[in-house]
Amino acid sequence: MLRFLPLKLGRLYRCLKLLLVVGLFVILLMNTHNLFASFQKNELTDRRFINLNKCPACFGTSWCRKFMNGQVSFETWGRLRFLDVFNVKNVYFAQYGEPREGTRRVVLKRLGSNQELAEIDQKICKRATGRPRCDLIQAMYKTEFSRINGDVRLLTPEVVEGWSDLVHCPSQRLLDRVVRRYAETKDSGSFLLKNLKDTERMQLLMTLAFNPEPLVLQSFPSDEGWPFAKYLGACGRMVAVNYVGEELWSFYNAPWEKRVDLARQLMDIAEQLTNNDFDFALYLLDVSFDNFAVGPRDGKVIVVDAENVLVADKRLIKQNKPENYDVWYESRFEECDREGCLSFSKDSLCSRVTVDHNYYAVCQNLLSRYATWRGTTGGLLHDLPTHIAKDGQLEALLDECTKPKKRYGRFQAAKELREYLTQLAAASSSATAR
C-alpha cells in the first residue's frame, strides 16, 4: 500500500494542475469580450477607474495630466481585469512615456486592497453622516481632514499622533519636513499649512492616515541617498513610483558572491536608517523578501514597501529625556510560526536613543537560519561554502545578531557582521577581476 502512495499523490497533483488549466481556460472563454476590450482601451485614462472622482478623498493629482494624456499604460497582464482577483495588494506594472525620453517602466499602487479602500470610504462617511454610504466629496469637508484648515499655521504632533506608523510619535521637526516636501502641490517648499489649498491639505492628511508610504518616499527621497524607491506622482487613488528591479526573493538562489553583496547592502540599510546625520531613526516594522528589490544595472538594494516605517526623532528624545531614554534597547527574539514576523514595542522605539531593531529585523527575517519565506528556511545566506562554514564566524555572527546570548550582543554582532560581509564581498570582487 505504501509503495503506491507516491504514485497516487503524483496523479492527484497532475489532476489538480489539469483542473487549474481548464478553470483558467473557462474564465478566458467567459471573458473573451472583456479580454479584447481590455487590450484596446487604456483604463488609466478613466477617471472612475483611478478614483479621481473621489478626490479630495484621494492621494493626489500631480500626475493626472500624464494619466489623462495616455502617457501611462498598463503592461500586458495588467490590462486583464479578471486577473485582479489575484492582485490583492493592487500593485501594477506600467509603461510611462515622455516624447523626448522614450518609455520606462513604473510601478502603480492603490496603496491598499479593495476591501481596505472600501473601509476608508465607510469610515469617512460614518464620521461625517453616521452612515456607511454617502457623498464622499461632501463628507470629506465634515471630517478631521478638513478641520485643519488654512487658519492653522502648522501641522502639529498632537493632531496626527498615532494616525499611522510614520506618525506614531511625531516631532514638529518631522511634520515640518513632511509638509515642506509634500509633492502633491505646486507650491512645495514651505512647512506652513496655509500655503496648501484646502484639497491639498485633505489629500495630505488622508494619505497620512490611510497609508503614509508616499510621504515616507517624499520626506526621505532616493535623490538624497535614502534607500527608498523614487516617488513620481499620483492621480486619484493611483500612486506612481519608480520601478527598481526584481524583488529580493528572486535572488534567493543566486550565486554565493551575489548573495553576500546583497546581505552586506541590507546591513548597510539597517545602519543608515538607524544612525544618520539627520538624527531621524527610521524603523522597518515589516521586513520580508517582497519589500526589497534589486536594481538590474547597479545591483543596488532598495526598500520598495515603506508603508510600515516608524520615524523617531532622536533629537526630541534627547531633549525630553523620557525614562530610560539613554539605556540601550534590545529587541527580543521570539519563536514564531508565521513568515516575516517581528517582535517590537513601538513605544520603546519612540523613547530610546540607541535601538537595535533594524539589525534584528534584517538578521532574523532575511539573513539568518531563522528566516522563513514561502516555505523555505535558511535565509539569504543559506548553504555556506565549505571554507566559510568550517570557519564558523559568519554563522556565529548571524546567530548573535538574531538571538543574542550576551547583553547588548546584537549591537556588536551587527557591527562585526557588516565588516565581515564587506570583506567577503571585496574578496569576491578581487577574485572576479582576476
Side-chain angles (χ1 to χ4, degrees):
M1 180 68 71
L2 293 174
R3 194 176 297 174
F4 293 100
L5 189 59
L7 182 62
K8 290 181 179 179
L9 288 174
R11 286 176 177 173
L12 179 61
Y13 177 68
R14 287 195 293 272
C15 287
L16 289 173
K17 282 179 64 177
L18 180 62
L19 286 173
L20 179 62
V21 171
V22 171
L24 286 173
F25 181 69
V26 171
I27 292 174
L28 282 171
L29 286 178
M30 294 174 63
N31 288 273
T32 302
H33 175 73
N34 293 334
L35 188 65
F36 286 112
S38 296
F39 279 103
Q40 292 173 346
K41 179 183 178 182
N42 183 358
E43 290 182 293
L44 293 175
T45 62
D46 184 342
R47 295 171 60 90
R48 298 189 68 85
F49 180 78
I50 59 178
N51 291 151
L52 181 58
N53 61 308
K54 294 189 176 184
C55 287
C58 66
F59 308 126
T61 57
S62 64
W63 256 42
C64 282
R65 181 173 294 181
K66 301 179 191 299
F67 275 84
M68 296 300 110
N69 287 345
Q71 292 175 257
V72 189
S73 58
F74 284 130
E75 293 185 350
T76 306
W77 296 110
R79 294 173 181 264
L80 306 179
R81 295 280 63 80
F82 68 87
L83 292 179
D84 285 348
V85 67
F86 302 108
N87 187 10
V88 179
K89 292 185 176 181
N90 280 324
V91 177
Y92 308 88
F93 295 109
Q95 290 291 323
Y96 163 62
E98 284 283 0
R100 296 180 180 179
E101 300 177 7
T103 59
R104 60 186 170 109
R105 200 179 202 190
V106 297
V107 178
L108 303 180
K109 300 183 177 185
R110 290 193 189 272
L111 299 183
S113 65
N114 291 338
Q115 181 179 345
E116 290 169 334
L117 290 163
E119 286 175 355
I120 193 67
D121 289 349
Q122 291 178 7
K123 287 180 181 178
I124 292 171
C125 286
K126 284 183 178 180
R127 289 174 184 175
T129 67
R131 300 188 303 274
R133 293 187 179 183
C134 66
D135 184 320
L136 201 61
I137 298 175
Q138 289 186 8
M140 278 292 285
Y141 287 91
K142 299 177 182 179
T143 65
E144 65 269 33
F145 299 137
S146 69
R147 294 191 190 109
I148 306 173
N149 54 39
D151 296 329
V152 179
R153 185 171 179 271
L154 298 174
L155 183 62
T156 55
E158 58 269 16
V159 172
V160 297
E161 183 175 356
W163 280 19
S164 58
D165 288 333
L166 174 61
V167 289
H168 185 78
C169 51
S171 65
Q172 189 60 58
R173 189 167 69 101
L174 172 63
L175 295 180
D176 288 349
R177 184 184 183 95
V178 169
V179 175
R180 186 172 62 249
R181 292 166 177 255
Y182 185 52
E184 293 301 318
T185 175
K186 294 179 180 179
D187 299 319
S188 60
S190 171
F191 60 84
L192 298 177
L193 276 180
K194 67 179 183 180
N195 290 339
L196 298 180
K197 297 177 182 177
D198 290 343
T199 54
E200 293 169 347
R201 276 193 299 275
M202 285 189 276
Q203 288 163 6
L204 186 156
L205 295 171
M206 162 87 174
T207 307
L208 190 62
F210 179 70
N211 184 334
E213 179 178 3
L215 302 177
V216 174
L217 305 187
Q218 295 165 33
S219 302
F220 303 94
S222 59
D223 293 345
E224 296 178 8
W226 295 96
F228 298 111
K230 184 176 182 179
Y231 181 81
L232 299 175
C235 185
R237 289 185 175 177
M238 194 72 82
V239 167
V241 299
N242 192 43
Y243 172 74
V244 174
E246 293 186 43
E247 62 184 25
L248 182 63
W249 175 248
S250 303
F251 297 84
Y252 185 80
N253 289 314
W256 170 252
E257 295 77 14
K258 180 65 175 178
R259 288 185 283 131
V260 165
D261 179 61
L262 297 177
R264 174 191 62 80
Q265 292 188 60
L266 287 166
M267 289 302 294
D268 286 345
I269 288 174
E271 175 63 23
Q272 179 187 6
L273 297 182
T274 304
N275 299 304
N276 51 71
D277 294 337
F278 300 94
D279 273 343
F280 283 120
L282 285 71
Y283 297 117
L284 304 174
L285 305 186
D286 183 9
V287 174
S288 70
F289 283 88
D290 287 350
N291 292 347
F292 296 82
V294 182
R297 295 181 181 177
D298 56 9
K300 191 174 181 180
V301 179
I302 295 294
V303 180
V304 292
D305 188 338
E307 176 182 358
N308 302 111
V309 175
L310 185 152
V311 180
D313 190 335
K314 291 186 179 183
R315 293 182 191 174
L316 183 64
I317 297 172
K318 293 174 185 176
Q319 177 184 320
N320 290 345
K321 294 181 172 59
E323 185 179 1
N324 296 324
Y325 81 98
D326 54 351
V327 177
W328 292 13
Y329 176 73
E330 294 181 285
S331 300
R332 188 171 65 181
F333 172 84
E334 290 185 3
E335 297 286 352
C336 180
D337 58 358
R338 294 184 293 106
E339 295 181 336
C341 61
L342 293 170
S343 172
F344 53 82
S345 164
K346 291 183 182 180
D347 291 340
S348 295
L349 298 180
C350 288
S351 60
R352 304 289 184 93
V353 174
T354 307
V355 177
D356 67 359
H357 172 82
N358 284 335
Y359 312 132
Y360 152 70
V362 168
C363 285
Q364 174 169 303
N365 283 6
L366 300 178
L367 304 185
S368 74
R369 60 191 174 95
Y370 297 98
T372 60
W373 192 249
R374 297 187 185 178
T376 65
T377 58
L380 188 63
L381 296 175
H382 62 86
D383 297 324
L384 276 61
T386 305
H387 66 286
I388 293 177
K390 284 183 178 180
D391 176 71
Q393 185 178 359
L394 180 56
E395 190 170 5
L397 289 173
L398 287 171
D399 282 351
E400 188 68 12
C401 183
T402 304
K403 190 178 181 181
K405 297 176 181 178
K406 305 174 185 176
R407 189 181 185 190
Y408 304 137
R410 186 180 286 120
F411 291 95
Q412 184 61 29
K415 179 177 180 295
E416 294 181 14
L417 181 58
R418 288 181 64 217
E419 294 171 352
Y420 188 75
L421 291 171
T422 300
Q423 292 173 8
L424 288 179
S428 299
S429 299
S430 298
T432 305
R434 294 174 197 164

